Structures are given as structure tokens and as C-alpha cells.
Amino acid sequence: MTNGALAGLRVLELAGIGPAPHAAMLLGDMGAAVLRVERPGAPAEQLPSHVLRNRTIVEADLKRDLDRVLDLAACADVLIEGFRPGVAERLGIGPEECLRRNARLVYGRMTGWGQEGPRAGTAGHDLNYISVTGVLDAIGRPDAPVPPLNLVGDFGGGSLFLVAGILVALVERGRSGLGQVVDAAMVDGASVLAQHILEMRAQGAWLPGRAANLLDGGAPFYRTYACADGRFVAVGALEPKFYALLLHGLGLVGSALPEQYDRAGWPVLAERFASVFRRRTRDEWAESFAGTDACVTPVLTFDEAVHEPHVAARGALRLAQGHVVAGHAPRFGRSDAGVASAGAVHTDLDTALAAWRAGP
């Protein structure tokens, strides 16, 4: 990758799974040169190739090849690792050793629980991290929380906060000349993501329980509805002017209905809306509401979404080697990175080290 906003930035990624490689993917999409170090014989199917796009991959045994990997760290701007706390130190490639060799290095650490705290040394996954922050309890049906994929902990609260921390540390390095350690923990990031909901709770605008509030499926004008063909539409008509267009599109103008924000009337509204949406197919409703501000859209599968006109025009999703893959975000006006490749280039450790010693 030679173009993009982060062109010339060198990122050393110690192989892992989940949000750490996703963060490296994002930096690569923005133009950084990312070198991923994998252990010899690591299974090629460990991660989908599209998560490993914009990478050069080398194999290295951190016991046998430690000095050469540390030499790579000495040439890097950023190092990313996603081990449990203390593992990188035991391997000899912790932040103290790396920063001793390269004082300008930004050392990014991605964990679920963080580097310290009572749970820091224990295992966990996305679902565990969002469960103890209260986030999971707010998502789902009235009778049970529902896992929101692994988007809230791993990626929303994990990789995106790691990337933000790395970029902030690079800006600060421009002033101080010094690198630093970025401790990105999913339990922290997920909590920050929830601040808007926490603020609504503080103001008394968010009630206990699930599917009882404005944004959790409780409001009849902010939820999904089944259509005649068993598929769904999404309704997000929060503002009164958009709500009026929803009523118009449903043929309910002038009907005796509860007021939009009368919570006591929400069950009545939900049943009326549901009965109307069941009269037509998803695509018929999508066509009916197309071009309006009623905030009604079809709920598409990934395979359908890649062909949706707006998604396709933006390149938000695309087909690569027969698979649906994400484009890149955000966009830059002067210098954009694009997506250079669907996969990764493999090389040997000595070649990679020689190239990095030679400079960008």
C-alpha cells in the first residue's frame, strides 16, 4: 500500500484473532504498511483472508527469532498485540523492551478486561465483556438478553477504540517525540459506547427492562415489522415530521390512534402498525416508501445488501472472489486509501526486516 492518509506509517502486528487484526485491517485500509508476524505453521484458515487484506505476513518463532522481531519493532511506528496481560512480557516483546529499543513506538494492547483489575488474567469473549457493563442487559427481548453479534464488545468497544487510541498517541508523539502504551479494553470501550443510554437513564428517559424504551424496540415507531412474505422492514420514524410520513404511507392519517410519545398507547400503535405491514411484502413496502423521509427501509441479508443501490454506489459492501466483503471507512477528501487487496502477501522474516531497515 503506497497511497492513503497513513502512507509511510509502519505497523507491526503480532498475530491474534478478533479485534486486534481488525484494528490492523483498518490502519491498512487507511494506507499504513502492516506486517503481521505469525507463528510457524499457523493455520491459514485462522482468519478470513479479507480481514488480512493490506498485509505482509511473515512467520517467526518468538523464542528462536525474538531478536529479529524486536529489530522489526525498532523500525515500526506502531505495534499491535492482543495477548492476555503479561504474555507479551513473558515472550520478551513487551512494551518495556520494545520502547527501550524504540522510544517513538506506539504500543497498542487489545484485551477484553484490560491490563489490570480482578478479571484481567481470566478468559472471556465479547458477550462476557458487555454482560458485566450492563450493556447486554439492555439489548434483546423482554424475556432474555440477545447477543448483538460480536459488534458491541469486540469491534465497537474494542478495535475502534484501539485505532482511536493509536491515532491519538501518534498525534501526541508529533509533539513530544515519544511513543507510549495504549491500553484498549473492550470492557472500557463498550461502557463508553453506552454513554448516551446512561445519560437517558440519568434523565429518567430510560426505563428498566428490555423492549420498553425509545431505542430498544419498545417504541412502535422504532422497531422492525414482519411483512406478508415473512421478511421484515425497519421503521425509524422518531421525529414527529417523519412519523407523520409513516402514518401517511401506512394509510393511517386521520385514524383514531394514541399520540406518538404516549407510552401507554404504544401497544395499541404497535398492533395497528403490525397489522398493516402484514398486508404487503417487504419489497412492496420498500418501493412504497422509497424516496420519502418516513425512515422505512427493508431489512436485507448480506447477500441482498451488496446489491442495494446506495450501498453499492458507496462501495460499503462489495463482492470479492464470490464473497461479500466490507469496503473501507472513513473516506478522505485529499488522500484516500481504498482497499488494495483482498488478502495478504507472504514473505520471509529476513526479507521483511531488510525492507523495514531500508526505510519507508
Side-chain angles (χ1 to χ4, degrees):
M1 173 69 74
T2 57
N3 64 326
L6 297 182
L9 189 78
R10 292 188 291 193
V11 178
L12 181 64
E13 174 198 1
L14 303 183
I17 60 174
H22 188 257
M25 182 196 82
L26 295 174
L27 294 173
D29 283 353
M30 289 185 276
V34 183
L35 179 64
R36 176 179 168 93
V37 177
E38 295 185 345
R39 70 182 188 275
E45 67 275 9
Q46 184 180 29
L47 284 173
S49 62
H50 301 289
V51 176
L52 297 182
R53 65 195 186 198
N54 306 325
R55 299 286 216 293
T56 299
I57 296 178
V58 299
E59 291 187 350
D61 182 329
L62 288 179
K63 293 181 180 179
R64 183 189 64 217
D65 303 315
L66 178 60
D67 286 340
R68 286 185 292 171
V69 175
L70 286 170
D71 286 343
L72 285 169
C75 300
D77 297 289
V78 176
L79 185 147
I80 291 176
E81 61 95 350
F83 303 131
R84 285 201 203 189
V87 171
E89 285 83 351
R90 290 197 297 273
L91 291 172
I93 197 164
E96 183 176 349
E97 178 62 27
C98 289
L99 286 165
R100 185 180 66 80
R101 293 174 178 241
N102 179 1
R104 290 177 53 81
L105 180 69
V106 173
Y107 194 106
R109 317 197 80 170
M110 184 74 259
T111 60
W113 303 116
Q115 295 299 313
E116 64 276 323
R119 296 183 184 268
T122 63
H125 279 294
D126 172 286
L127 199 63
N128 306 117
Y129 311 134
I130 67 173
S131 75
V132 302
T133 61
V135 173
L136 181 61
D137 183 64
I139 300 171
R141 306 179 305 270
D143 62 328
V146 174
L149 303 181
N150 63 335
L151 300 179
V152 177
D154 278 354
F155 302 117
S159 60
L160 295 185
F161 278 86
L162 176 59
V163 168
I166 286 170
L167 295 178
V168 169
L170 289 168
V171 171
E172 195 279 333
R173 187 183 75 173
R175 295 194 295 266
S176 69
L178 298 174
Q180 60 179 302
V181 178
V182 177
D183 174 8
M186 295 173 227
V187 70
D188 299 342
S191 298
V192 174
L193 285 178
Q195 180 54 43
H196 177 67
I197 305 303
L198 295 173
E199 189 66 21
M200 293 179 72
R201 289 180 75 254
Q203 295 172 359
W206 192 271
L207 302 180
R210 288 174 294 277
N213 294 285
L214 189 64
L215 304 175
D216 64 358
F221 43 87
Y222 197 85
R223 63 167 65 176
T224 61
Y225 288 94
C227 302
D229 55 357
R231 294 188 286 184
F232 293 82
V233 292
V235 176
L238 292 170
E239 292 81 359
K241 61 182 179 180
F242 301 152
Y243 181 73
L245 293 172
L246 170 66
L247 295 184
H248 176 78
L250 293 176
L252 293 174
V253 174
S255 299
L257 295 172
E259 292 297 318
Q260 179 184 3
Y261 279 92
D262 175 11
R263 284 178 180 266
W266 280 3
V268 175
L269 280 177
E271 180 51 41
R272 288 294 302 275
F273 293 171
S275 67
V276 176
F277 276 117
R278 284 194 295 265
R279 296 172 188 170
R280 302 170 69 182
T281 67
R282 181 199 68 179
D283 292 346
E284 287 172 338
W285 283 118
E287 183 177 357
S288 176
F289 281 104
T292 76
D293 283 345
C295 303
V296 177
T297 51
V299 177
L300 303 178
T301 67
F302 286 124
D303 287 333
E304 292 173 318
V306 74
H307 301 295
E308 198 278 333
H310 187 83
V311 173
R314 293 282 298 176
L317 295 172
R318 62 189 179 92
L319 287 172
Q321 301 172 339
H323 301 286
V324 179
V325 301
H328 69 283
R331 314 291 175 87
F332 298 89
R334 285 191 297 105
S335 177
D336 210 350
V339 177
S341 67
V345 175
H346 291 256
T347 189
D348 64 87
L349 182 57
D350 290 329
T351 300
L353 183 55
W356 276 33
R357 282 173 170 165

